[in-house]
C-alpha cells in the first residue's frame, strides 16, 4: 500500500488531492490569520482556491510531473519507455506517453462528454417540447443549455480532433511519437479534470453555471458560485489545448520523415498545422477573458463594472477574438479528415491539393479579422460593422474552394459508398447549408433581425453537427480499423448515418424558420405560435439522440468482437496504413522515406513512402494488397 | 450502361440533362423558399426592405446548394463502385486551373454584390434620426422594461410601450444591471441594452396593433419572460393616452404617500399598476394578473388565485421577501428582491392592503 | 501502385528496443521552437490584457492614472534592473557554451538575485500606491497588467532556479545546455515584456 501511495497512479493522485486541498486552504487561512484577517473570509473564496489548486495536485499525484521533477532536481533521468504503449486496458487509465494511447484516451474521454452533453440537449428539448414549464425550472434549464454547449465545444469537438490527430498524425508524417510525449500526456490529463469541474457546477449552491457558453459579463460576474467552476475549468481546457497545439506544431515542423516536404504532407497534417496555429495564437484570449471575470468575481476587480469605469463590451471583444477562431479550430481538422476519406474512398487524388492547403492558411489569417461579427447588435461603434461584414463574407471564398474541390474529387472517381464515405458526402452537403446561412448572418441588416434567435441555433448546429460532428464520425469509422485492429459493422454504420442524417435535418432545419419568425434563443418558454414546430423538433431530436446509441453499440461490440482488420483495408497510400493495425508500439522499426505525394491514386506504380527493410516496391498490380496482410495481434 | 461509357467522360447530352435538373430543382427550391411565411408582420417602415433582402439571399443561395447537391448525387449515381470494381482507381486528375479560377471568381462576385447591397441597406436603416425626433428611453433590468418619454413637457414612465403610428422614434436603450436586448420582431431591429453605455436605434412604426418587446440577450433566470407589451396607436388615440397618463392623479399620489394625504387605496393601486419610477420599483402588474387592477401578465403567479387565501401579513412577506416561498411552476429569483427596499413603510402597507382587498373582494 | 506494404514481421518486431530515432526535418531545435511558440501564446495573453487596457482607458475613457501619479522612477529603476538581468543571463549562456563553470555559476546567481530584487521592489510599490484593484477599472487593469507580468517573473525565477540547481550539480556544460538556454529565452521574453508594460502603464 505504501508503495502505491508513493508511486504514480490513482492512489497517489487521491492522496495528493486530499493533502493538496488541505494544504492550500490551510495556507490561505494561515496567511490571513497572520495579517489579522478573518481566516475563513468566505466559503466562496475557499471553493475558488480549491478549484484552482486541486487539479494541479491531482496531476502531480497521477504522475504527470514525475519526470520533470526529477530533471529539475538535477537527478539522472533515463527514458526507459516504461510508460510508453498500452499492454492491457489498465494502461489507458495511467499516464502514458505513447501518442497512440493518448489519442485513444482523448477520443474516449471526449465521447464520454459528448454523450453527457447530448443527454443535456435531450433534456433541453424535452423542456421545449411544449410551451410553459415541463420538467425543469428556469435555473436548471439555463444551466443545461450552458453546460451542453460548453461540454460539446471544450470537451468534445476540440479535444476529439486533438485525439484523432494525436493517433494518426505522427504515423502520417513518419514520426515515432510526438515531439514532447510527456507534455502530450499532461495535456490529456487536464481535460477530464476540466470536464468534471464543469459537471460539478451542478452541485454548486445556487445552481450550475447558467450564463451560456459565451459567459457574457456582467451576467457571469453576478452569477452564483457555479460560474466560477466554468471560469476555472475553461483555464484547464484551454491550457490543454494550447499545449497540444504547440506539440503538433513542433512535431510537424521538426519530425517529418525524410522526403516529407510540406507539399507532400497529407491534408490532415496541413489541417492540424493550421488549427494549431489558431490555437496557439487565439486561445490565450479566452484564458484572459475568464481570468478577468474571475478577478471581478473573486477579488472585486472592476473590469466589467461600469460603475467603476469598466467596459462591458470589452469582454465580448476579447472573448470573440478567441471564439471566432475557435469555430475554425472546431472545423479545420474536420476538413483534413474529409480530404483523407474522400481521396481514399473515391480513388482519386485530391483536386487542387495546393489550393486546399493554401485555403486552410487563408482561413487561419482571415479568421482573426472577423470577431466582431458576433457583435453586430451589441451596441459597439456602428462603423465596425461594415468591415467585419466584408471580411466575414470573404471567408466564404476559401471555404467555397474547399467544397468545390471536394466535389471535383468525387467527379469520375470510383466511389466506394461505405460508412466513412457517407459521412463525408453528408458533410459536404450539410456544411454547404451551414456555410450559406453563415454568409446570410454576415449580412448586417439581416443579422440585426436574426441574431440571438433560433436561426443562430440552426446555423451553429449545421456547422458544428452537420459539419464537425459528421467529420468526426467519418474519421472515427475511417481509422477504427487502424486504432483497434478490428473492422466496424458496416450495416450498423450505414444505419447510424441515415438515421442521423434524416433526423438531424428534421431537428435543425425548422429552427431556421422559427428563428426568422421571431423565437429568441436561450428561452425556456416561448409563444404559442411556435408550439407545433418545437414539438416536431423535440421529437426528431429524440430519434437523433437515440441514433447515437447505435454508434456506441457498434464501437463497443466491434472493438470487442469485430473481424480482424488488415493493415490497409482501404488500400490507402498514406503512411499510417502501411504499418500493422494497430501499429507497432514504437510505430516503425526504421523511419520510412517519403518519395511522392500522398494521394497519387490512379497513377500507375505511385508510392508515397518506402520502408527500409521492406521489399523495394515494384509496380504492384492494383489489388496486391488484398492478398491478406497477416492479421496482427497485439 | 456499359462499363466503358459509364467510366468515360460525361457526354454533352448528359450535361444538358444535368443542368436542366439543376435549374428545375433550383426553381422549385426558390419557389419553396419564397412561399414560406418567414417573417412576422411588417410593423415598421424598414421591415419590407429587410424582407426583400432576405428574398434576394434565398434566390442567390438556393442554386449554390442545389448545384453542390446535384453534382454530388450525380457523381454517386454514375461513378459509385459497383461489384467487380473493387480494385479500380479513378483517373489521376490533380486539378484544373481554369476551373479553380472560375470557382474562386464567381463566389467573389456574388459576395461583393451581396456586401454592396447590405452596406447600402444598412446605411439606409441606420440613418441618423432628424433633430427633434421623439425620444423614448428604454431601460432594461432583470427582468422588465421601463419606457419613459416626455410629452407636452411632462415625463411619462410606463412598463408598456406606447407609440404613435407613422412617426419616427429615436429609442435610447440602457440597462441597469446586465446586458438585455431590445427587440420588437415586427420592427426588425434590435440592439443590446448595455450597462454603462447608451445604445439605440431609430425607426418609424408603420402598423397599428399590439406587439411585444422580446428580450433577445440571455439576462438570467427570467430571460424568457422578459417581455413587454407594445401598443402602436393611431395619432388621435396616442394623444388621448398621453392626456390620460399626464393627468396628475398617479405620480402625485405616490409622492404624496409620505404625507399621508392621498388615500391608501389610490397609492396601492398606483404602485401596483405603475410602480414607483423615481426609485426604480417595478410595477407588480408587469408580471402578475390581478383582475381588480386590470393586469393580465402570466410571468408571475396569478394573484387572484395564488394569494386569495393568504392573510395580509403573508402577502407583505411575499413582497418584501419574494424568494422565501415559490409558487409551483414558477422559478426562484425572477421577482425583483428590491421592492421591499425601494418602497417606504407606508407604501408597502398601502400596496399590501390594496392587494389583500382586491383578491378578497368576493 | 500501392505504397510499399511493410511486411508484418518487420513492422512488428518491437518490445525489445526503443523507438527509431526521429528524422530531424528542421534546423530549429524542438525545445527552442517549443519555447518560442509558448512565448507567442504568452504574448497573446498579454495582448488580451493590453486590449482590456485600451478599452478601459481609450474607449470607456476611464480616468488615468487610477489615483494620483504613478511612481515612474521606481518602475524605471525596475526596468534597468530587469534589463541588466537579461545581460547577465546572456553572459551565463555564453559561459555555459564556453564551458566556464565559474562564470556560469556567478551569472545564474546574479540573474536570479536581480529578478528577485525586481519582484521585491514591485511588491513594495504595490503596498505604497494608495489604491487597490477595487478602486476603479483603471486600477484593475493596472494591477492586471503589472500583476500578470509579476506572475511571469515568478515563473521565470522558478525556471532559473531549476537551471541553477542543474548548474551547481554539474549538469550543464558546453554539450548540454538546453536546460539553461530554454529558461534563458523565456527570461529575455519576461524582461522585454516589462519594457512594453512599463511604457504603456507608466510612460504613456
Ligand atoms: Cu464567428
Ligand atoms: Cu433577457
Amino acid at each position: 500500500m505504501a508503495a502505491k501511495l508513493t508511486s504514480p497512479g490513482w492512489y497517489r493522485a487521491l492522496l495528493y488531492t486530499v493533502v493538496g486541498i488541505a494544504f492550500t486552504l490551510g495556507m490561505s487561512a494561515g496567511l490571513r490569520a497572520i495579517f489579522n484577517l478573518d481566516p475563513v473570509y468566505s466559503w466562496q473564496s475557499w471553493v475558488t482556491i480549491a478549484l484552482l489548486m486541486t487539479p494541479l495536485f491531482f496531476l502531480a499525484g497521477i504522475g504527470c510531473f514525475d519526470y520533470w521533477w526529477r530533471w529539475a532536481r538535477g537527478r539522472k533521468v533515463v527514458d526507459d519507455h516504461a510508460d510508453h504503449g498500452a499492454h492491457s486496458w489498465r494502461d489507458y487509465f495511467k499516464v502514458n506517453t505513447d501518442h497512440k494511447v493518448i489519442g485513444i484516451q482523448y477520443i474516449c474521454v471526449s465521447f464520454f462528454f459528448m454523450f453527457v452533453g447530448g443527454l443535456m440537449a435531450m433534456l433541453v428539448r424535452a423542456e421545449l417540447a411544449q410551451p410553459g414549464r415541463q420538467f425543469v425550472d428556469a435555473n436548471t434549464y439555463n444551466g443545461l443549455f450552458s453546460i451542453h454547449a460548453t461540454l460539446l465545444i471544450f470537451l468534445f469537438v476540440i479535444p476529439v480532433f486533438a485525439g484523432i490527430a494525436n493517433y494518426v498524425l505522427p504515423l502520417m508524417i513518419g514520426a515515432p511519437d510526438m515531439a514532447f510525449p510527456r507534455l502530450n500526456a499532461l495535456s490529456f490529463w487536464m481535460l477530464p479534470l476540466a470536464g468534471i469541474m464543469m459537471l460539478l457546477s451542478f452541485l454548486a449552491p445556487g445552481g450550475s453555471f447558467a450564463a451560456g457558453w459565451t459567459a457574457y459579463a456582467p451576467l457571469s460576474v453576478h452569477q452564483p458560485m457555479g460560474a466560477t467552476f466554468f471560469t476555472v475549468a475553461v483555464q484547464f481546457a484551454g491550457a490543454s489545448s494550447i499545449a497540444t497545439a504547440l506539440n503538433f506544431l513542433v512535431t510537424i515542423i521538426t519530425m517529418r520523415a525524410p522526403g516529407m516536404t510540406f507539399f507532400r504532407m497529407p491534408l490532415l497534417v496541413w489541417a492540424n498545422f493550421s488549427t494549431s496555429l489558431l490555437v496557439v495564437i487565439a486561445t490565450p484570449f479566452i484564458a484572459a477573458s475568464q481570468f478577468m471575470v474571475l478577478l471581478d468575481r473573486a477579488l472585486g476587480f472592476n473590469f466589467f463594472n461600469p460603475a467603476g469605469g469598466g467596459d462591458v463590451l470589452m469582454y465580448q471583444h476579447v472573448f470573440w477574438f478567441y471564439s471566432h477562431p475557435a469555430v475554425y479550430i472546431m472545423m479545420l481538422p474536420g476538413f483534413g479528415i474529409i480530404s483523407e476519406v474522400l481521396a481514399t474512398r473515391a480513388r482519386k487524388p485530391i483536386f487542387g491539393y495546393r489550393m486546399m492547403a493554401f485555403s486552410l492558411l487563408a482561413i487561419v489569417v482571415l479568421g482573426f479579422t472577423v470577431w466582431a461579427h458576433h457583435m453586430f447588435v451589441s451596441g459597439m461603434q456602428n462603423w465596425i460593422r461594415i468591415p467585419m461584414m466584408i471580411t466575414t463574407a470573404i471567408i466564404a471564398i476559401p471555404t467555397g474552394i474547399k467544397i468545390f474541390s471536394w466535389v471535383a474529387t468525387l467527379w469520375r472517381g470510383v466511389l466506394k459508398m461505405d460508412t466513412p464515405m457517407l459521412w463525408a458526402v453528408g458533410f459536404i452537403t450539410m456544411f454547404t447549408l451551414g456555410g450559406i446561412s453563415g454568409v446570410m448572418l454576415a449580412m448586417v441588416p439581416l443579422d440585426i433581425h436574426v441574431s440571438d434567435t433560433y436561426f443562430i441555433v440552426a446555423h451553429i448546429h449545421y456547422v458544428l453537427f452537420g459539419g464537425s460532428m459528421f467529420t468526426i464520425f467519418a474519421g472515427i469509422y475511417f481509422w477504427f480499423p487502424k486504432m483497434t485492429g478490428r473492422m466496424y459493422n458496416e450495416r450498423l454504420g450505414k444505419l447510424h448515418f441515415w438515421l442521423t442524417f434524416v433526423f438531424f435535418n428534421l431537428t435543425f432545419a425548422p429552427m431556421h424558420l422559427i428563428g426568422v419568425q421571431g423565437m429568441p434563443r436561450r428561452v425556456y418558454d416561448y409563444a404559442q405560435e411556435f408550439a407545433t414546430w418545437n414539438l416536431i423538433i423535440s421529437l426528431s431530436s429524440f430519434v437523433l439522440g437515440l441514433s447515437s446509441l447505435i454508434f456506441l453499440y457498434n464501437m463497443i461490440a466491434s472493438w470487442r468482437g469485430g473481424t480482424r482488420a488488415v493493415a490497409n483495408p482501404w488500400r490507402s497510400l498514406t503512411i499510417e496504413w502501411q504499418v500493422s493495425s494497430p501499429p507497432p508500439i514504437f510505430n516503425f522499426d526504421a523511419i520510412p522515406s517519403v518519395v511522392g505525394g500522398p494521394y497519387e491514386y490512379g497513377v500507375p506504380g505511385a508510392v508515397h513512402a518506402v520502408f527500409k527493410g521492406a521489399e523495394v516496391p515494384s509496380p504492384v498490380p492494383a489489388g496486391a494488397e488484398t492478398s491478406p496482410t497477416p492479421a496482427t495481434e497485439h | 450502361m456499359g462499363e466503358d461509357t459509364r467510366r468515360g467522360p460525361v457526354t454533352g447530352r448528359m450535361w444538358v440533362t444535368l443542368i436542366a435538373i439543376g435549374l428545375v430543382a433550383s426553381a422549385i427550391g426558390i419557389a419553396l423558399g419564397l412561399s414560406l411565411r418567414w417573417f412576422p408582420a411588417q410593423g415598421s417602415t424598414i421591415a419590407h426592405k429587410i424582407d426583400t433582402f432576405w428574398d434576394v439571399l434565398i434566390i442567390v443561395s438556393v442554386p449554390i446548394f442545389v448545384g453542390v447537391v446535384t453534382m454530388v448525387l450525380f457523381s454517386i449515381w454514375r461513378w459509385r463502385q459497383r461489384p467487380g470494381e473493387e480494385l479500380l482507381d479513378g483517373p489521376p486528375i490533380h486539378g484544373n486551373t481554369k476551373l479553380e479560377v472560375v470557382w474562386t471568381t464567381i463566389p467573389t462576385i456574388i459576395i461583393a454584390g451581396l456586401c454592396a447591397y447590405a452596406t447600402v441597406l444598412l446605411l439606409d436603416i441606420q440613418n441618423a434620426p432628424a433633430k427633434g425626433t421623439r425620444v423614448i428611453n428604454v431601460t432594461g433590468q432583470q427582468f422588465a422594461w421601463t419606457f419613459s418619454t416626455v410629452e407636452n413637457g411632462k415625463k411619462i414612465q410606463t412598463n408598456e410601450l406606447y407609440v404613435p403610428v407613422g412617426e419616427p422614434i429615436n429609442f435610447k436603450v440602457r440597462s441597469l444591471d446586465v446586458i438585455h436586448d431590445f427587440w420588437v420582431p415586427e420592427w426588425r431591429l434590435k440592439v443590446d441594452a448595455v450597462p454603462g453605455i447608451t445604445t439605440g436605434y431609430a425607426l418609424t412604426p408603420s402598423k397599428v396593433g399590439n406587439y411585444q418587446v422580446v428580450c433577445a440577450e440571455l439576462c438570467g433566470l427570467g430571460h424568457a419572460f422578459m417581455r413587454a407589451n407594445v401598443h402602436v396607436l393611431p395619432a388621435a388615440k396616442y394623444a388621448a393616452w398621453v392626456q390620460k397618463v399626464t393627468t396628475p392623479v398617479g405620480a402625485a399620489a405616490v409622492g404624496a404617500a409620505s404625507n399621508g394625504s392621498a388615500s391608501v387605496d389610490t397609492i396601492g393601486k398606483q404602485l401596483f399598476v405603475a410602480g414607483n419610477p423615481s426609485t426604480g420599483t417595478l410595477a407588480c402588474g408587469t408580471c402578475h394578473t390581478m383582475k381588480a387592477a386590470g393586469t393580465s401578465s402570466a410571468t408571475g403567479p396569478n394573484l387572484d388565485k395564488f394569494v386569495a387565501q393568504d392573510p395580509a401579513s403573508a402577502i407583505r412577506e411575499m413582497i418584501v421577501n419574494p424568494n422565501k416561498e415559490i409558487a409551483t411552476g414558477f422559478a426562484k429569483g425572477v421577482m425583483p428582491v428590491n421592492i421591499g427596499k425601494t418602497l417606504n413603510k407606508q407604501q408597502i402597507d398601502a400596496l399590501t392592503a390594496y392587494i389583500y382587498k382586491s383578491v378578497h373582494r368576493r | 501502385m500501392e505504397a510499399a506494404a511493410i511486411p508484418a514481421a518487420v513492422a512488428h518486431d518491437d518490445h525489445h528496443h526503443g523507438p527509431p530515432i526521429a528524422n530531424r526535418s528542421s534546423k530549429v531545435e524542438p525545445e527552442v521552437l517549443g519555447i518560442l511558440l509558448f512565448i507567442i501564446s504568452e504574448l497573446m495573453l498579454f495582448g488580451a490584457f493590453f486590449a482590456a487596457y485600451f478599452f478601459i482607458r481609450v474607449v470607456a475613457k476611464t480616468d488615468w492614472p487610477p489615483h494620483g501619479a504613478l511612481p515612474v522612477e521606481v518602475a524605471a529603476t525596475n526596468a534597468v534592473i530587469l534589463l541588466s538581468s537579461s545581460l547577465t543571463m546572456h553572459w551565463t549562456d555564453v559561459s555555459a557554451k564556453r564551458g566556464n563553470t565559474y562564470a556560469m555559476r556567478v551569472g545564474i546567481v546574479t540573474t536570479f538575485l536581480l529578478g528577485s530584487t525586481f519582484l521585491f521592489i514591485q511588491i513594495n510599490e504595490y503596498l505604497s500606491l494608495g489604491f487597490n484593484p477595487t478602486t476603479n477599472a483603471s486600477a484593475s487593469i493596472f494591477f492586471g497588467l503589472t500583476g500578470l507580468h509579476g506572475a511571469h517573473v515568478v515563473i521565470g525565477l522558478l525556471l532559473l532556479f531549476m537551471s541553477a540547481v542543474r548548474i551547481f550539480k554539474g549538469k550543464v556544460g558546453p554539450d548540454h545546455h538546453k536546460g539553461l538556454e530554454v529558461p534563458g529565452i523565456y527570461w529575455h521574453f519576461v524582461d522585454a515584456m516589462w519594457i512594453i508594460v512599463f511604457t504603456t502603464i507608466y510612460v504613456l
Side-chain angles (χ1 to χ4, degrees):
Chain A
M1 195 63 206
K4 274 184 177 163
L5 286 177
T6 51
S7 58
W10 285 90
Y11 290 105
R12 199 180 74 174
L14 200 68
L15 176 74
Y16 277 28
T17 309
V18 173
V19 172
I21 294 177
F23 174 75
T24 39
L25 295 185
M27 185 106 138
S28 92
L31 277 176
R32 290 188 64 88
I34 290 172
F35 289 102
N36 276 327
L37 299 161
D38 168 22
V40 179
Y41 185 52
S42 70
W43 64 269
Q44 282 97 336
S45 63
W46 281 57
V47 175
T48 308
I49 294 170
L51 283 175
L52 282 165
M53 298 308 294
T54 313
L56 301 181
F57 285 100
F58 175 86
L59 291 169
I62 196 107
C64 286
F65 302 127
D66 281 43
Y67 181 94
W68 293 327
W69 178 230
R70 244 176 292 144
W71 180 90
R73 284 180 302 160
R75 294 281 179 83
K76 197 174 156 79
V77 281
V78 268
D79 199 350
D80 56 359
H81 303 290
D83 48 4
H84 185 102
H87 304 279
S88 87
W89 63 270
R90 283 196 187 81
D91 288 337
Y92 287 99
F93 293 86
K94 293 178 186 159
V95 173
N96 202 302
T97 55
D98 183 355
H99 73 96
K100 301 185 288 299
V101 175
I102 294 173
I104 297 216
Q105 287 175 324
Y106 256 115
I107 293 170
C108 293
V109 163
S110 36
F111 265 100
F112 168 77
F113 286 110
M114 190 278 275
F115 279 100
V116 177
L119 205 63
M120 290 178 189
M122 297 294 97
L123 292 175
V124 164
R125 281 321 313 178
E127 173 59 42
L128 289 176
Q130 288 182 331
R133 181 186 159 147
Q134 320 297 325
F135 305 99
V136 295
D137 60 32
N139 199 13
T140 316
Y141 177 83
N142 287 1
L144 283 173
F145 74 69
S146 302
I147 308 244
H148 159 74
T150 310
L151 285 183
L152 284 175
I153 289 169
F154 295 112
L155 272 302
F156 177 61
V157 179
I158 294 176
V160 81
F161 279 135
I164 295 175
N166 234 303
Y167 198 103
V168 300
L169 191 143
L171 287 162
M172 270 184 167
I173 62 169
D177 203 326
M178 296 280 275
F180 307 117
R182 283 170 215 92
L183 183 66
N184 202 12
L186 174 64
S187 328
F188 163 71
W189 281 98
M190 283 194 270
L191 202 67
L193 296 177
I196 289 166
M197 212 180 276
M198 305 261 188
L199 289 180
L200 281 182
S201 86
F202 276 108
L203 304 179
S208 75
F209 157 72
W213 79 276
T214 49
Y216 273 15
L219 181 62
S220 57
V221 176
H222 297 164
Q223 283 218 321
M225 200 58 213
T228 303
F229 284 69
F230 169 85
T231 310
V232 177
V234 165
Q235 304 294 353
F236 285 99
S240 155
S241 156
I242 293 177
T244 312
L246 187 154
N247 220 336
F248 278 139
L249 284 173
V250 177
T251 310
I252 295 169
I253 293 173
T254 67
M255 290 174 74
R256 279 166 290 127
M260 178 70 89
T261 58
F262 260 68
F263 286 107
R264 277 181 184 164
M265 294 194 311
L267 284 169
L268 181 105
V269 182
W270 266 106
N272 278 284
F273 182 79
S274 318
T275 308
S276 302
L277 281 176
L278 283 171
V279 172
V280 164
I281 298 172
T283 311
F285 265 70
I286 194 173
S289 69
Q290 298 313 314
F291 269 134
M292 291 183 221
V293 170
L294 190 64
L295 289 171
D296 271 21
R297 286 177 62 85
L299 300 175
F301 278 49
N302 289 300
F303 286 115
F304 309 118
N305 174 15
D311 189 339
V312 170
L313 289 182
M314 182 263 286
Y315 176 87
Q316 295 172 36
H317 283 290
V318 174
F319 177 84
W320 287 115
F321 195 79
Y322 162 74
S323 293
H324 181 80
V327 307
Y328 299 117
I329 293 170
M330 291 186 272
M331 199 60 259
L332 298 191
F335 287 175
I337 292 174
I338 293 307
S339 296
E340 300 303 320
V341 173
L342 278 187
T344 317
R345 312 317 287 136
R347 311 306 303 161
K348 266 186 71 201
I350 286 289
F351 192 93
Y353 168 92
R354 276 181 189 243
M355 277 313 278
M356 288 296 249
F358 287 136
S359 53
L360 285 169
L361 294 179
I363 292 174
V364 170
V365 175
L366 286 170
F368 284 109
T369 63
V370 301
W371 76 93
H373 65 206
H374 297 271
M375 302 170 62
F376 286 158
V377 299
S378 71
M380 67 174 179
Q381 293 79 348
N382 276 343
W383 63 265
I384 306 178
R385 303 198 283 191
I386 290 171
M388 287 286 165
M389 162 173 80
I390 294 169
T391 47
T392 305
I394 289 175
I395 296 192
I397 296 165
T399 315
I401 291 176
K402 296 198 77 79
I403 291 178
F404 301 139
S405 300
W406 284 321
V407 176
T409 306
L410 294 176
W411 198 255
R412 295 187 60 195
V414 183
L415 314 181
K416 172 76 176 156
M417 297 309 294
D418 56 3
T419 309
M421 186 64 158
L422 283 174
W423 287 108
V425 169
F427 158 81
I428 294 177
T429 53
M430 291 302 99
F431 187 71
T432 305
L433 266 184
I436 288 172
S437 60
V439 173
M440 290 175 164
L441 285 172
M443 300 295 136
V444 185
L446 182 72
D447 184 77
I448 292 175
H449 178 68
V450 296
S451 69
D452 285 313
T453 66
Y454 261 76
F455 192 85
I456 301 285
V457 180
H459 165 71
I460 82 110
H461 283 94
Y462 265 87
V463 290
L464 285 186
F465 197 132
S468 311
M469 189 75 193
F470 277 32
T471 70
I472 291 164
F473 281 135
I476 294 287
Y477 282 110
F478 186 68
W479 281 292
F480 185 82
K482 183 52 65 185
M483 292 176 181
T484 63
R486 307 272 187 166
M487 296 304 288
Y488 60 84
N489 183 320
E490 190 67 56
R491 282 182 59 191
L492 287 180
K494 284 181 176 163
L495 181 66
H496 174 214
F497 169 77
W498 283 112
L499 278 178
T500 306
F501 185 81
V502 170
F503 287 94
F504 159 77
N505 278 297
L506 286 177
T507 303
F508 295 109
M511 290 184 185
H512 291 110
L513 180 61
I514 57 175
V516 178
Q517 283 177 346
M519 178 164 162
R521 65 173 178 161
R522 294 171 165 178
V523 289
Y524 102 120
D525 192 8
Y526 49 83
Q528 194 61 43
E529 56 174 309
F530 306 118
T532 317
W533 276 121
N534 270 291
L535 185 62
I536 294 173
I537 290 170
S538 286
L539 293 176
S540 311
S541 76
F542 297 145
V543 187
L544 182 61
L546 287 175
S547 77
S548 66
L549 295 182
I550 300 174
F551 167 75
L552 187 65
Y553 171 79
N554 193 356
M555 291 297 109
I556 294 174
S558 304
W559 200 341
R560 296 182 57 182
T563 49
R564 298 273 176 201
V566 296
N568 192 357
W570 313 132
R571 300 189 296 126
S572 172
L573 287 176
T574 46
I575 301 176
E576 84 272 26
W577 295 105
Q578 315 311 324
V579 297
S580 56
S581 299
I585 197 156
F586 291 117
N587 294 0
F588 313 103
D589 272 3
I591 301 297
S593 299
V594 177
V595 295
Y599 306 122
E600 300 298 309
Y601 301 103
V603 180
V607 168
H608 174 51
V610 289
F611 286 82
K612 211 165 72 181
E615 280 159 47
V616 176
S618 51
V620 210
E625 187 56 33
T626 45
S627 62
T629 311
T632 53
E633 282 163 60
H634 244 306
Chain B
M1 203 182 289
E3 171 77 10
D4 287 334
T5 48
R6 195 166 63 76
R7 290 272 163 222
V10 180
T11 61
R13 256 185 67 185
M14 204 159 259
W15 272 114
V16 173
T17 321
L18 202 54
I19 290 169
I21 290 174
L23 287 177
V24 171
S26 299
I28 295 173
I30 290 171
L32 207 69
L34 296 184
S35 67
L36 280 177
R37 198 189 68 82
W38 289 94
F39 286 90
Q42 296 178 340
S44 74
T45 51
I46 56 153
H48 73 274
K49 298 179 187 171
I50 287 167
D51 299 8
T52 309
F53 184 43
W54 170 258
D55 289 346
V56 171
L57 286 172
I58 295 254
I59 293 168
V60 174
S61 312
V62 169
I64 296 173
F65 177 66
V66 167
V68 169
V69 172
T70 312
M71 293 314 236
V72 167
L73 290 180
F74 175 78
S75 304
I76 295 175
W77 168 74
R78 189 167 150 91
W79 293 303
R80 73 179 178 281
Q81 187 196 86
R82 291 178 169 76
E85 295 182 335
E86 285 81 5
L87 302 177
L88 202 62
D89 280 351
I93 305 166
H94 286 91
N96 180 327
T97 313
K98 250 189 231 160
L99 200 56
E100 288 173 51
V101 169
V102 168
W103 70 43
T104 310
T105 316
I106 293 181
T108 310
I109 295 169
I110 295 177
I111 292 292
L114 289 179
C115 283
Y117 188 163
T119 305
V120 172
L121 182 53
L122 179 65
L123 295 177
D124 181 11
I125 62 179
Q126 72 174 20
N127 239 337
K131 239 189 165 171
T133 306
R134 172 181 278 107
V135 171
I136 296 185
N137 292 296
V138 179
T139 308
Q141 75 186 87
Q142 286 171 329
F143 300 96
W145 297 101
T146 313
F147 308 95
S148 75
T149 187
V150 176
E151 290 286 356
N152 312 328
K154 280 177 190 144
K155 194 177 172 197
I156 306 176
Q157 185 151 352
T158 50
N159 289 117
E160 301 198 354
L161 177 57
Y162 291 83
V163 290
V165 73
E167 285 181 42
I169 297 164
N170 186 10
F171 290 103
K172 297 203 164 173
V173 182
R174 297 179 185 85
S175 167
L176 299 179
D177 38 40
V178 300
I179 303 175
H180 305 275
D181 190 288
F182 176 62
W183 182 37
V184 179
E186 285 78 6
W187 291 347
R188 303 287 189 276
L189 291 188
K190 68 159 77 77
V191 73
D192 282 2
V194 183
I197 59 174
T198 303
T199 62
Y201 50 72
L203 53 70
T204 310
S206 62
K207 199 171 172 198
V208 172
N210 294 320
Y211 311 107
Q212 274 203 319
V213 175
V214 176
C215 176
E217 184 65 62
L218 179 64
C219 53
L221 295 181
H223 169 56
F225 310 112
M226 192 168 160
R227 306 288 175 96
N229 290 324
V230 181
H231 309 276
V232 181
L233 305 173
K237 275 195 179 167
Y238 181 74
W241 174 77
V242 169
Q243 185 61 39
K244 196 179 121 204
V245 289
T246 46
T247 316
V249 176
V254 174
S258 36
N259 320 331
S261 58
S263 92
V264 168
D265 232 27
T266 326
I267 300 164
K269 177 163 187 182
Q270 178 63 24
L271 285 169
F272 192 95
V273 179
N276 191 5
S278 57
T279 57
T281 318
L282 286 173
C284 312
T286 314
C287 300
H288 294 282
T289 296
M290 194 167 80
K291 235 180 170 174
T295 60
S296 59
S297 168
T299 303
N302 178 336
L303 297 182
D304 290 321
K305 292 179 185 145
F306 183 62
V307 295
Q309 313 296 331
D310 290 325
S313 60
I315 294 175
R316 189 191 161 95
E317 182 63 19
M318 286 174 212
I319 294 169
V320 180
N321 216 342
N323 286 328
K324 206 164 155 194
E325 185 197 341
I326 300 296
T328 36
F330 294 90
K332 204 174 168 171
V334 174
M335 180 163 156
V337 289
N338 67 352
I339 293 180
K341 289 170 205 135
T342 53
L343 298 181
N344 63 31
K345 190 174 171 301
Q346 286 99 319
Q347 287 171 321
I348 297 175
D349 289 342
L351 184 58
T352 309
Y354 171 69
I355 295 174
Y356 182 78
K357 242 173 75 186
S358 303
V359 298
H360 289 81
R361 190 163 285 177
R362 274 158 295 142
Chain C
M1 59 137 292
E2 294 300 329
I6 181 169
V10 178
H12 206 247
D13 172 30
D14 51 66
H15 297 296
H16 305 296
H17 57 86
I21 306 295
N23 179 52
R24 194 51 77 67
S25 54
S26 162
K27 280 183 203 128
V28 192
E29 305 272 356
E31 291 84 0
V32 173
L33 182 60
I35 195 75
L36 290 177
L37 288 167
F38 183 64
I39 286 172
I40 292 180
S41 237
E42 294 272 44
L43 273 174
M44 296 308 289
L45 184 62
F46 274 97
F49 276 84
F50 280 117
Y53 165 86
F54 171 81
F55 275 99
I56 287 170
R57 186 168 168 186
V58 179
V59 179
K61 299 194 180 66
T62 305
D63 292 340
W64 190 270
H67 173 88
L70 292 171
V72 185
E73 315 78 39
V74 180
T77 318
N78 251 347
V80 174
I81 292 175
L82 268 198
L83 280 184
S84 38
S85 83
S86 242
L87 290 178
T88 57
M89 186 69 229
H90 183 69
W91 180 50
T92 315
D93 224 24
V94 173
S95 312
K97 279 173 191 162
R98 289 200 188 127
N100 185 342
T101 316
Y102 177 73
M104 188 166 75
R105 288 183 178 187
V106 174
I108 195 83
V109 171
T110 321
T111 313
F112 187 84
L113 288 178
L114 284 171
S116 312
T117 315
F118 171 90
L119 216 53
F120 179 77
I121 293 176
Q122 181 76 26
I123 289 169
N124 263 314
E125 185 198 322
Y126 276 4
L127 295 177
S128 57
L129 273 173
F131 62 87
N132 65 44
T134 60
T135 307
N136 56 31
S138 299
S140 298
I141 192 60
F142 172 86
F143 279 97
L145 266 172
T146 54
L148 183 68
H149 181 266
H152 282 76
V153 174
V154 172
I155 298 169
L157 284 177
L158 281 175
L159 292 176
L160 289 185
F161 187 75
M162 288 179 199
S163 300
V165 169
R166 288 178 63 79
I167 284 176
F168 279 90
K169 290 209 171 179
K171 300 269 175 188
V172 182
D175 302 323
H176 28 87
H177 48 80
K178 207 64 53 58
L180 177 64
E181 194 182 343
V182 171
I185 297 176
Y186 190 77
W187 187 251
H188 291 312
F189 155 72
V190 170
D191 297 348
M193 208 62 226
W194 178 249
I195 303 302
I196 306 175
V197 173
F198 170 70
T199 315
T200 37
I201 293 275
Y202 293 89
V203 180
L204 288 182

